[in-house]
């Protein structure tokens, strides 16, 4: 009799199943608008030229070894990563109250932050603190916080399906009525999956309520630079909140903006009131890291640190990021134009108003099913498409498919 | 600890002016009640070592291999694998949640042996993990969620310091079984069997596959056989931690003997593997977690649940180290070179053990230092008491942990005489 005979089969993670189904599909016109990874206009993965350059540097440098990193990670990576988010001249950085925890991608940064908050925020081991995630949100947010022990994970209104934009008033209401000290997970830019971000004056309103109601700010920043092409613009919200005196956590991912998906490069930036609080917080983060992965992987952090700390490489990186952002913006413009030209029922302005890798098309589950089964265009059941999956070669087919779907299926 | 009172709010932050760059009124912090975490005992040793200006200082806390010049050693097979990989110009797309398939396959084959019936029947699942720690943590999380019949994990006394907090953070309870005999600096076999015989059915028992950390004391094969039989009789779930395969005796098959024997005896074990030491891939975080199941169908169910556990921690594992390890294991010339290099590392350690014991004799020590030679792997439990350790550090700048553990990897032919002298001075 096995100890594991009662272990049930778990459902596959939806986004990976979509890609698996896409791979099996034999249709020559098939298009994958599922998984969130950048693709070139030839539908190929793209290793950034600056990454190739720095990788060569690393392989050829015989003085480098594979020794353990410190528990909190590579120091030059942590500091440069936090600078990217907050700005080099950030008063918080100059006041020595900013720290970083190198983590396994954005997920890892969220995990360490969630574990820390569950142990040390709003009391000691207070699993009852409500955690608010946007409706909808990246599907892994829920699991990160619930596996960290939080028992009360709630949605805050965010996406207005009817007007296909931000449900700001409802969002602000949820903030006003949230219990004091609730944790709110905010997408710093390029909201996943809707691509809909608050405008600066809307962020100001959000910040005002959060300050007044003593709510905790946890930013998820997975697309800095990738959204608008500008690092500063994409970090505006984070920097605004810091300027308003918030202590906050910010989970950063370098998966997309460096194209380093599989090297798991992330950073949890901690902004505290002062350096004394910061050092106690980091000491506790160390304990959490020690029982999760001991110390983080070296390769990706080294690569990012070298790039960010060299003026030429940094400039080259910014240009590479802009290349990606520009191609996405172009695809948005083209798709919207083509749908308009086809006279596809409904409004399609949201495609160009939204930003980042994803677009919430507004297609309903029946329409999504038609797209997949009849047109072999793969997208998430929520209607989310990955703009990177669009190319000049397939955009006509995708536009026509959307047109056919919307006219045939209600 | 009481809930934060409402006085800790941002009542005064409204007075803050962003352009000034300073806070006119210091509001209180969310983190005022956060305690300072205690310093890591091993890291503390290295920090103190760094500050010491004595030219003869020795760092014997470090759990990483050093060559005979005291330098970190990047294996030649690793450099070759890296060059091969660079030439392939691979993309950086996400790995599957369970990691690199060719790594997982090679990893478990290394542990179980290519001819293992378990592998032929497909009744095991292996996932790539963040080195040994990550593997233990995934294993602990998995058992905590699915092994609901028992909450207790039995560790050998003593065990690696990080075992306890890992299992505790996963929600399990820690207990211990007798292991080390301080009077002999060896294995307390009878004590271990006694304690094991009292462990409640279905409890989880953790064993170090080889090169026990921190003592360096391993059971002999006949002793392993009896332990396997007893644990089977008591229906215990055996969790193997194998962080030093190849590194202990120099022979990867010999070092995996206990793992393979338990499986042959019908134990469905869980197994953590690390490639930090035996491939020198420390900072790349290369490891594997394996569950041996009844059949392939069960293995599939277990695999699906492991993925569900992994996804909210780090989504999917890092590529670089696993790719290097897979390249080495799956390329015959590189694999052979690796086996030689691992043998070389183990041999140097063994030689240092012999030299230390010989030098202690030369110093005129009347103590029995046989255990220095009998113990195996990176670490040696010297038997030094805390006061003696303190003297060794203060008077000779030899840094080690308070429990008397030294890392033989930090010993070289250049400093073994000095070390022997210091040990003799504090123990005579």
């Amino acid at each position: 009799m096995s100890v594991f005979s009662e272990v049930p089969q778990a459902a596959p993670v939806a986004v990976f199943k979509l890609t698996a189904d896409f791979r099996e599909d034999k249709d020559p016109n098939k298009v994958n608008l599922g998984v969130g990874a950048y693709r070139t206009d030839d539908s190929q993965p793209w290793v950034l030229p600056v990454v190739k350059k720095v990788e060569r540097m690393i392989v050829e440098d015989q003085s480098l070894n594979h020794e353990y990193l410190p528990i909190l990670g590579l120091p030059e990576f942590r500091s440069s990563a936090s600078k990217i988010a907050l700005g080099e001249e950030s008063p918080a950085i100059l006041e020595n109250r900013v720290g970083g925890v190198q983590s396994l991608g954005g997920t890892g940064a969220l995990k360490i932050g969630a574990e820390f908050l569950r142990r040390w925020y709003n009391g000691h081991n207070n699993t009852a603190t409500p955690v608010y995630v946007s409706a909808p949100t990246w599907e892994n947010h829920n699991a990160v916080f619930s596996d960290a022990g939080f028992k009360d994970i709630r949605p805050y209104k965010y996406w207005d399906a009817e007007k296909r934009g931000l449900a700001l008033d409802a969002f602000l209401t949820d903030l006003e009525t949230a219990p004091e000290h609730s944790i709110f997970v905010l997408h710093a830019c390029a909201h996943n999956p809707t691509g809909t971000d608050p405008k600066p004056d809307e962020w100001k309103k959000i910040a005002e309520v959060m300050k007044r109601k003593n709510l905790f700010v946890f930013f998820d920043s997975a697309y800095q630079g990738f959204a608008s092409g500008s690092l500063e613009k994409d970090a505006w919200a984070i920097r605004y909140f810091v300027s308003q005196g918030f202590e906050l956590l910010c989970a950063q991912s370098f998966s997309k903006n460096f194209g380093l998906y599989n090297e798991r490069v992330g950073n949890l930036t901690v902004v505290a009131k002062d350096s004394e609080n910061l050092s106690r917080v980091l000491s506790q983060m160390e304990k959490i890291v020690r029982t999760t992965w001991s110390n983080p992987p070296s390769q990706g952090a080294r690569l990012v640190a070298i790039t960010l700390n060299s003026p030429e490489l940094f400039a080259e990186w910014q240009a590479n990021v802009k290349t990606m952002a520009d191609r996405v913006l172009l695809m948005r413009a083209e798709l919207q134009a083509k749908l308009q030209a086809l006279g596809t029922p409904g409004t399609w302005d949201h495609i160009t108003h939204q930003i980042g890798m994803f677009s919430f098309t507004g297609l309903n589950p029946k329409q999504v099913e038609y797209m997949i089964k009849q047109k072999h265009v793969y997208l998430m059941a929520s209607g989310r498409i990955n703009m990177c999956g669009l190319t000049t070669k397939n955009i006509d087919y995708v536009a026509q498919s959307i047109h056919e779907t919307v006219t045939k299926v209600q | 600890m009481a809930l934060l009172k409402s006085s800790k709010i941002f009542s005064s932050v409204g007075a803050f002016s962003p352009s000034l760059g300073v806070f006119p009124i210091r509001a209180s912090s969310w983190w005022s009640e956060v305690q300072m975490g205690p310093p890591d005992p091993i890291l503390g040793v290295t920090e103190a070592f760094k500050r010491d200006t004595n030219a003869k200082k020795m760092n014997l806390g470090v759990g990483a291999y050093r060559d005979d010049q005291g330098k970190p050693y990047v294996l030649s097979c690793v450099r070759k694998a890296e060059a091969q990989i660079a030439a392939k110009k691979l993309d950086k797309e996400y790995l599957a949640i369970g990691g690199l398939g060719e790594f997982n396959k090679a990893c478990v084959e290394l542990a179980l042996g290519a001819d293992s019936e378990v592998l032929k029947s497909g009744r095991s699942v292996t996932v790539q993990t963040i080195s040994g720690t990550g593997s233990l943590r995934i294993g602990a999380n998995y058992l905590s969620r699915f092994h609901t019949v028992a909450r207790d994990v039995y560790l050998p006394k003593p065990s690696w310091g990080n075992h306890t907090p890992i299992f505790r953070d996963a929600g399990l309870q820690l207990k211990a079984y007798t292991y080390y005999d301080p009077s002999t600096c060896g294995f307390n076999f009878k004590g271990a069997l006694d304690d094991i015989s009292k462990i409640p059915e279905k409890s989880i028992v953790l064993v170090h596959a080889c090169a026990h950390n921190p003592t360096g004391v391993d059971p002999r094969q006949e002793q392993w056989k009896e332990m396997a039989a007893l644990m089977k009789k008591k229906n215990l779930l055996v969790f193997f931690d194998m962080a030093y395969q190849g590194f202990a005796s120099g022979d990867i098959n010999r070092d995996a003997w206990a793992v393979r024997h338990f499986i042959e005896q019908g134990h469905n074990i869980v197994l953590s593997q690390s490639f930090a030491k035996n491939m020198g891939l420390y900072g790349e975080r290369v490891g594997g977690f394996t569950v041996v199941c009844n059949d392939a169908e069960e293995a599939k169910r277990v695999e699906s649940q492991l993925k569900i556990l992994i996804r909210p921690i780090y989504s999917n594992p890092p590529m670089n180290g696993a790719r290097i390890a897979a390249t080495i294991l799956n390329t015959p010339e590189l694999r052979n070179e690796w086996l030689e290099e691992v043998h070389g590392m183990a041999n140097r350690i063994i030689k240092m053990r012999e030299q230390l014991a010989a030098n202690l004799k030369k110093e005129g020590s009347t103590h029995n230092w046989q255990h220095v030679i009998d113990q195996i792997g990176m670490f040696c439990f010297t038997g030094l008491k805390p006061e003696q350790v303190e003297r060794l550090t203060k008077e000779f700048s030899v840094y080690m942990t308070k429990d008397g553990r030294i890392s033989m990897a930090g010993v070289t032919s250049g400093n073994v005489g000095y070390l022997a002298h210091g040990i003799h001075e504090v123990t005579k």
Side-chain angles (χ1 to χ4, degrees):
Chain A
M1 184 64 177
S2 163
V3 289
F4 303 133
S5 40
E6 303 304 306
V7 173
Q9 176 79 33
V13 178
V15 66
F16 300 131
K17 172 125 194 344
L18 193 74
T19 294
D21 291 345
F22 169 80
R23 281 209 194 103
E24 304 226 341
D25 191 327
K26 306 275 185 282
D27 192 285
N29 290 322
K30 65 178 182 175
V31 181
N32 187 359
L33 301 180
V35 170
Y38 180 78
R39 292 284 177 270
T40 64
D41 199 56
D42 292 310
S43 296
Q44 294 304 308
W46 192 51
V47 179
L48 275 58
V50 73
V51 166
K52 284 186 186 160
K53 189 183 279 187
V54 179
E55 264 186 338
R56 247 192 329 268
M57 282 165 59
I58 291 173
V59 166
E60 285 163 12
D61 186 347
Q62 300 280 302
S63 74
L64 292 176
N65 56 40
H66 294 290
E67 292 297 293
Y68 287 125
L69 287 180
I71 296 174
L72 294 180
L74 188 67
E76 49 269 40
F77 166 78
R78 296 161 56 207
S79 57
S80 57
S82 293
K83 281 189 183 140
I84 285 291
L86 303 186
E88 221 169 351
E89 303 299 315
S90 172
I93 292 181
L94 300 174
E95 286 160 22
N96 283 319
R97 54 190 188 86
V98 173
V101 180
Q102 182 191 334
S103 309
L104 283 267
T107 306
L110 287 163
K111 168 66 171 178
I112 300 304
E115 287 284 346
F116 175 80
L117 291 173
R118 191 262 298 158
R119 283 151 216 253
W120 295 105
Y121 172 69
N122 198 24
H124 195 46
N125 271 313
N126 188 356
T127 58
T129 302
V131 178
Y132 283 81
V133 298
S134 64
T137 194
W138 180 49
E139 109 286 343
N140 206 18
H141 276 149
N142 259 282
V144 170
F145 284 89
S146 76
D147 275 16
F150 287 103
K151 301 271 179 271
D152 184 358
I153 300 166
R154 313 176 180 187
Y156 60 87
K157 291 190 201 54
Y158 192 83
W159 169 251
D160 184 331
E162 266 197 59
K163 65 174 225 237
R164 290 183 185 174
L166 180 68
L168 180 67
D169 287 339
F171 182 5
L172 292 171
T173 304
D174 277 350
L175 288 168
E176 289 278 0
T177 56
E180 205 185 25
H181 305 313
S182 294
I183 297 163
F184 272 75
V185 180
L186 307 173
H187 298 226
C189 71
H191 183 272
N192 178 0
T194 68
T196 300
D197 291 343
K199 296 192 204 32
D201 55 289
E202 292 170 336
W203 275 122
K204 286 181 178 171
K205 293 193 171 116
I206 293 163
E208 190 274 324
V209 181
M210 292 191 76
K211 188 190 303 176
R212 195 168 23 87
K213 307 294 292 185
N214 300 311
L215 304 172
F216 187 83
V217 179
F218 197 150
F219 272 111
D220 184 352
S221 177
Y223 300 98
Q224 189 183 1
F226 196 98
S228 69
S230 155
L231 293 168
E232 291 75 25
K233 203 153 162 215
D234 291 346
W236 187 89
I238 305 167
R239 297 176 189 192
Y240 177 73
F241 274 70
V242 172
S243 76
Q244 293 304 293
F246 284 89
E247 288 181 301
L248 54 81
L249 296 179
C250 177
Q252 300 169 260
S253 168
F254 292 90
S255 291
K256 283 79 170 173
N257 61 14
F258 259 88
L260 285 174
Y261 307 95
N262 69 20
E263 296 297 1
R264 316 312 294 125
V265 197
N267 189 50
L268 178 70
T269 286
V270 180
V271 181
K273 254 309 144 270
D274 53 46
S275 63
E276 198 269 329
N277 273 292
L278 177 70
S279 74
R280 279 182 285 108
V281 167
L282 291 179
S283 75
Q284 293 298 344
M285 296 273 181
E286 267 194 9
K287 290 189 68 185
I288 294 166
V289 168
R290 185 64 168 143
T291 62
T292 313
W293 54 62
S294 265
N295 42 74
S298 181
Q299 177 75 356
R302 235 175 210 168
L303 205 152
V304 171
I306 291 171
T307 307
L308 296 182
N309 289 317
S310 145
E312 296 121 43
L313 294 173
F314 182 71
E316 193 175 340
W317 173 57
Q318 282 183 298
N320 289 170
V321 172
K322 192 160 186 308
T323 298
M324 293 190 285
D326 284 350
R327 193 180 97 65
V328 169
L329 288 167
L330 180 65
M331 290 299 100
R332 286 186 179 279
E334 300 255 291
L335 182 61
Q336 199 245 8
K338 287 183 192 297
L339 290 171
Q340 207 132 18
L342 287 168
T344 308
T347 54
W348 301 99
D349 290 342
H350 56 285
I351 291 183
T352 44
H353 291 163
Q354 289 165 6
I355 193 167
M357 200 179 271
F358 302 114
S359 172
F360 238 33
T361 52
L363 295 179
N364 64 42
K366 287 221 307 269
Q367 292 169 328
V368 169
E369 199 182 337
Y370 187 89
M371 286 281 281
I372 296 175
K373 293 220 158 66
Q374 304 304 324
K375 309 307 296 181
H376 307 276
V377 175
Y378 287 73
L379 64 158
M380 301 296 291
S382 59
R384 184 191 89 169
I385 58 173
N386 178 3
M387 299 306 300
C388 303
L390 289 174
T391 70
T392 52
K393 293 126 182 115
N394 66 25
I395 195 161
D396 280 316
Y397 177 72
V398 172
Q400 273 153 24
S401 301
I402 293 176
H403 181 82
E404 182 184 313
T405 303
V406 168
T407 43
K408 280 196 170 149
V409 184
Q410 264 75 57
Chain B
M1 184 157 291
L3 290 174
L4 279 181
K5 301 193 187 60
S6 57
S7 57
K8 300 194 196 293
I9 53 175
F10 288 106
S11 50
S12 44
V13 178
F16 170 68
S17 166
S19 58
L20 288 178
V22 293
F23 295 88
I25 298 156
R26 214 153 264 277
S28 58
S29 164
W30 289 124
W31 316 126
S32 321
E33 305 302 306
V34 174
Q35 292 156 23
M36 180 63 95
D40 187 282
I42 316 256
L43 276 179
V45 168
T46 296
E47 290 309 301
F49 167 82
K50 282 194 190 138
R51 289 194 293 269
D52 192 325
T53 51
N54 185 340
K56 293 195 140 145
K57 65 181 180 177
M58 291 177 67
N59 187 356
L60 301 184
V62 70
Y65 180 80
R66 294 287 175 263
D67 64 17
D68 204 47
Q69 274 71 52
K71 297 271 176 292
Y73 173 59
V74 177
L75 276 64
S76 159
C77 63
V78 167
R79 291 218 190 274
K80 289 191 174 125
E82 284 177 311
Q84 270 187 32
I85 291 164
K88 284 195 179 140
K89 301 190 184 309
L90 301 165
D91 65 38
K92 304 220 154 289
E93 294 300 286
Y94 287 122
L95 286 178
I97 298 174
L100 185 64
E102 35 210 90
F103 167 76
N104 292 336
K105 191 160 175 290
C107 173
V108 68
E109 249 178 43
L110 182 69
L112 269 41
D115 54 351
S116 168
E117 160 274 322
V118 166
L119 298 178
K120 292 200 171 89
S121 63
R123 66 182 181 92
S124 68
V125 51
T126 300
V127 290
Q128 181 190 334
T129 56
I130 317 301
S131 204
T133 300
S135 177
L136 287 161
R137 185 52 186 274
I138 296 299
N141 286 0
Y142 173 76
L143 293 173
S144 184
R145 189 173 278 186
F146 293 103
H147 190 63
T148 48
V149 292
R151 302 277 83 202
D152 292 332
V153 179
Y154 286 76
L155 302 178
K157 210 178 348 184
S159 193
W160 181 45
N162 208 17
H163 277 145
T164 294
I166 288 172
F167 284 102
R168 184 168 290 148
D169 280 4
L172 295 167
Q173 270 140 220
L174 278 309
K175 295 217 160 64
Y177 59 93
T178 298
Y179 188 82
Y180 179 69
D181 186 345
S183 66
T184 62
C185 294
F187 183 35
N188 185 345
F189 182 44
K190 185 177 179 304
L193 290 180
D194 274 348
D195 279 357
I196 291 168
S197 67
K198 300 188 182 103
I199 296 178
E201 220 197 12
K202 300 190 183 165
S203 301
I204 302 156
V205 183
L206 185 131
V207 294
H208 299 219
C210 64
H212 182 271
N213 179 0
T215 68
V217 169
D218 286 351
R220 291 192 300 278
Q221 283 185 8
E222 319 88 71
Q223 295 170 324
W224 272 125
K225 283 177 178 169
E226 276 197 59
M227 287 166 70
L230 177 58
M231 291 182 188
K232 193 105 218 351
K233 183 157 150 236
K234 307 297 297 179
N235 195 16
L236 303 176
L237 203 174
V238 182
F239 195 145
F240 267 98
D241 184 356
M242 184 154 69
Y244 299 97
Q245 187 184 5
F247 202 95
S249 70
D251 179 333
I252 48 146
N253 293 308
R254 187 142 157 224
D255 288 349
W257 186 87
V259 170
R260 298 174 189 184
H261 176 75
F262 271 64
I263 290 174
E264 278 158 27
Q265 296 306 301
H267 286 272
N268 279 0
I269 64 166
V270 299
L271 165 69
S272 284
Q273 291 170 264
S274 166
F275 289 86
K277 285 80 169 176
N278 62 11
M279 281 195 182
L281 289 174
Y282 309 93
E284 303 298 338
R285 320 309 293 128
V286 192
F289 178 67
T290 296
V291 182
V292 177
C293 304
N294 265 4
D295 52 51
E297 189 269 334
E298 183 175 282
K300 278 264 152 303
R301 281 185 281 115
V302 170
E303 184 183 20
S304 72
Q305 295 295 347
L306 290 172
K307 289 181 187 174
I308 299 285
L309 281 167
I310 290 170
R311 172 84 165 143
I313 305 177
Y314 52 83
S315 277
N316 39 72
M319 164 69 95
N320 195 48
R323 180 73 77 183
I324 294 170
T327 302
I328 291 170
L329 293 173
N330 295 326
T331 310
E333 318 92 68
L334 292 182
R335 190 186 177 104
N336 288 335
E337 189 175 1
W338 174 59
L339 292 173
E340 275 174 36
E341 289 189 276
V342 153
H343 194 76
M345 290 193 285
N347 272 355
R348 195 184 89 66
I349 302 283
I350 291 167
K351 202 155 136 217
M352 288 302 102
R353 289 180 178 279
E354 288 162 2
Q355 283 192 17
L356 180 58
N359 273 280
L360 283 163
K361 196 155 173 222
K362 231 166 53 183
E363 287 282 327
S365 179
T366 52
H367 294 288
N368 181 354
W369 295 103
Q370 185 59 34
H371 57 280
V372 170
I373 296 175
D374 290 345
Q375 289 168 6
I376 193 169
M378 200 177 277
F379 300 113
C380 170
F381 238 32
T382 55
L384 291 181
K385 302 188 192 56
E387 324 80 74
Q388 295 167 326
V389 171
E390 207 181 325
R391 275 191 64 197
L392 197 50
T393 303
K394 278 209 168 75
E395 296 171 32
F396 295 92
S397 296
V398 173
Y399 290 82
M400 52 197 284
T401 46
K402 281 207 303 282
D403 54 8
R405 184 192 88 164
I406 58 173
S407 168
M408 293 307 301
V411 182
T412 69
S413 49
N415 63 27
V416 65
Y418 177 74
L419 176 62
H421 178 68
I423 291 176
H424 175 58
E425 287 300 306
V426 305
T427 56
K428 64 183 183 189

